[in-house]
Amino acid sequence: MSSPVSPDSSAPAALPPVARRPYTRAADLPEIMRQRIVVLDGAMGTMIQQYKLGEADYRGSRFTEHHKDLKGNNELLQLTRPDVIREIHEGYLKAGADLIETNTFGATTVAQEDYDLPELAYEMNVEGARLAKEVALKYSTPDKPRYVAGAIGPTPKTASISPDVNDPGARNVDFDALQQAYYEQAKALLDGGSDVFLIETIFDTLNAKAAIFAVDQLFEDTGERLPIIISGTVTDASGRILSGQTVSAFWHSVRHAHPIAIGLNCALGAALMRPYIEELAKVAGDTYISCYPNAGLPNPMSDTGFDETPPVTGALVEDFAKAGFLNIAGGCCGTTPAHIAEIAKRVSAYKPRCLHDEGVRGFLSGLAA
């Protein structure tokens, strides 16, 4: 007997239900995402720039004798200027964010090697998560719980691409080194109180796979299981991430991680990101979609360094919500609490994107369907 044919052979097949441990944190987040569009915060780096901090702020009293310049090492600020990071988190929560990201984008041993501070990676992540959790709890209510997304950035190195044009086989990092760095970061974010893991700004899928492997190993070692959001970066009009994949190929490469959401952030403003979010919303039928674009194109004359004002970014993201693409909406480079407030107000009028197959609810909640 021949196999039955799907009535729509072009539709992506849902993954078969699998038995997975329930979420041990943010267990109610899948249900909230079925009810409304969840709002993510905006740019951390953009807001830090508004404080016009100098070298002394980054050094504090603890790193006065460090042999390298530290200005620009934003992850160090949770140790030297926690008041700044706390205030930024509060600004986004007041603007309506449901999810705030930890200030840990570059808090891996791999990234901190640039400042000769790899030994601080664990402490940076613990403190970053602790600060964010403290503020999130302050603003949480029974009707609007606030969550902390442990931010896991791509590192400045790539496992897929040679840094030497004369030697295509050369690499400046390997999978094992990335996995170890990501494991340490994820463990520290977990220890500090993160509710969600956000593997973001992915320009190299192999780096992302190292992060996913590390997080899965952490879940096995600790018995914990947190929702995972995975967010890639389309670098130009080709519609591909830097390591060469289309957004559809990217999704199929990370689908095995069973993320609560897959999405795009950074590199592009919302206007240029639209076709790629639309494509992702079509192919990733068994999970939710996140989108947090830049505030348009870079503009050094702007206070934020980017073109778009809050009403412009808000209107563009509203169009995504109106089209039925979104479950999580926020902002990346150039966005501020004013941008997030505008996004939160505008997307609240629309229903969240539905899954293509509601039978996968168990997959998202961590239970067997």
Side-chain angles (χ1 to χ4, degrees):
M1 181 183 292
S2 61
S3 300
V5 177
S6 167
D8 180 7
S9 59
S10 65
L15 288 178
V18 293
R20 295 173 69 83
R21 291 193 302 272
Y23 292 135
T24 55
R25 301 185 189 182
D28 51 351
L29 186 56
E31 182 58 36
I32 292 171
M33 292 173 67
R34 277 191 283 271
Q35 296 172 3
R36 61 181 176 84
I37 295 174
V38 168
V39 177
L40 183 68
D41 64 3
M44 176 61 72
T46 297
M47 292 307 299
I48 289 173
Q49 289 172 17
Q50 308 305 302
Y51 286 83
K52 303 189 185 307
L53 303 177
E55 183 71 19
D57 294 290
Y58 285 85
R59 288 182 178 271
S61 59
R62 180 174 170 184
F63 303 103
T64 54
E65 302 301 319
H66 191 68
H67 61 281
K68 277 195 171 183
D69 288 346
L70 296 176
K71 184 178 179 181
N73 188 1
N74 289 342
E75 292 74 19
L76 196 58
L77 293 174
Q78 41 251 33
L79 308 182
T80 59
R81 288 297 305 271
D83 57 309
V84 169
I85 305 306
R86 185 180 292 109
E87 194 170 274
I88 292 169
H89 286 320
E90 290 210 10
Y92 283 123
L93 289 166
K94 289 176 182 176
D98 300 290
L99 268 167
I100 56 170
E101 299 177 58
T102 57
N103 178 39
T104 56
F105 184 86
T108 55
T109 53
V110 173
Q112 286 299 314
E113 284 172 358
D114 289 349
Y115 296 95
D116 287 348
L117 292 173
E119 71 279 2
L120 291 181
Y122 183 86
E123 184 181 1
M124 286 176 172
N125 285 284
V126 169
E127 285 303 301
R130 187 191 63 78
L131 271 172
K133 188 66 175 179
E134 173 188 309
V135 183
L137 289 173
K138 176 181 175 182
Y139 282 83
S140 287
T141 66
D143 293 337
K144 191 175 176 66
R146 311 298 182 100
Y147 302 99
V148 172
I152 299 175
T155 84
K157 299 183 178 181
T158 168
S160 294
I161 302 170
S162 172
D164 182 356
V165 294
N166 297 312
D167 184 2
R171 296 292 184 271
N172 55 15
V173 72
D174 61 30
F175 186 91
D176 288 344
L178 286 169
Q179 186 271 332
Q180 291 166 16
Y182 283 131
Y183 185 95
E184 179 185 41
Q185 181 176 37
K187 185 177 188 306
L189 289 169
L190 186 72
D191 292 346
S194 295
D195 304 298
V196 176
F197 284 131
L198 174 57
I199 302 172
E200 64 170 339
T201 321
I202 296 162
F203 60 82
D204 183 345
T205 307
L206 190 56
N207 286 39
K209 283 180 170 290
I212 290 166
F213 185 83
V215 167
D216 277 347
Q217 186 62 55
L218 181 67
F219 291 163
E220 288 298 315
D221 292 345
T222 63
E224 296 266 17
R225 182 166 177 255
L226 279 58
I228 301 171
I229 300 170
I230 298 175
S231 186
T233 295
V234 172
T235 53
D236 56 39
S238 71
R240 296 173 183 269
I241 66 174
L242 188 64
S243 56
Q245 288 185 309
T246 63
V247 294
S248 295
F250 171 64
W251 160 239
H252 287 292
S253 294
V254 300
R255 190 181 183 188
H256 66 282
H258 293 269
I260 192 173
I262 182 79
L264 299 174
N265 74 291
C266 206
L268 303 176
L272 295 175
M273 191 181 285
R274 192 186 198 281
Y276 312 122
I277 281 291
E278 182 174 6
E279 180 183 353
L280 201 54
K282 288 178 180 177
V283 300
D286 47 10
T287 195
Y288 293 122
I289 298 297
S290 73
C291 177
Y292 50 115
N294 289 349
L297 298 173
N299 178 2
M301 303 302 291
S302 166
D303 287 342
T304 63
F306 284 79
D307 266 334
E308 290 176 2
T309 61
V312 173
T313 302
L316 290 167
V317 176
E318 178 185 12
D319 178 62
F320 291 7
K322 185 177 181 180
F325 299 157
L326 295 184
N327 300 102
I328 301 174
C332 202
C333 303
T335 58
T336 67
H339 290 80
I340 298 308
E342 191 73 24
I343 289 170
K345 178 180 71 175
R346 288 173 178 264
V347 303
S348 67
Y350 301 95
K351 292 181 179 180
R353 168 184 168 275
C354 293
L355 301 177
H356 293 185
D357 180 359
E358 285 296 326
V360 300
R361 287 188 177 190
F363 150 63
L364 289 168
S365 66
L367 301 173

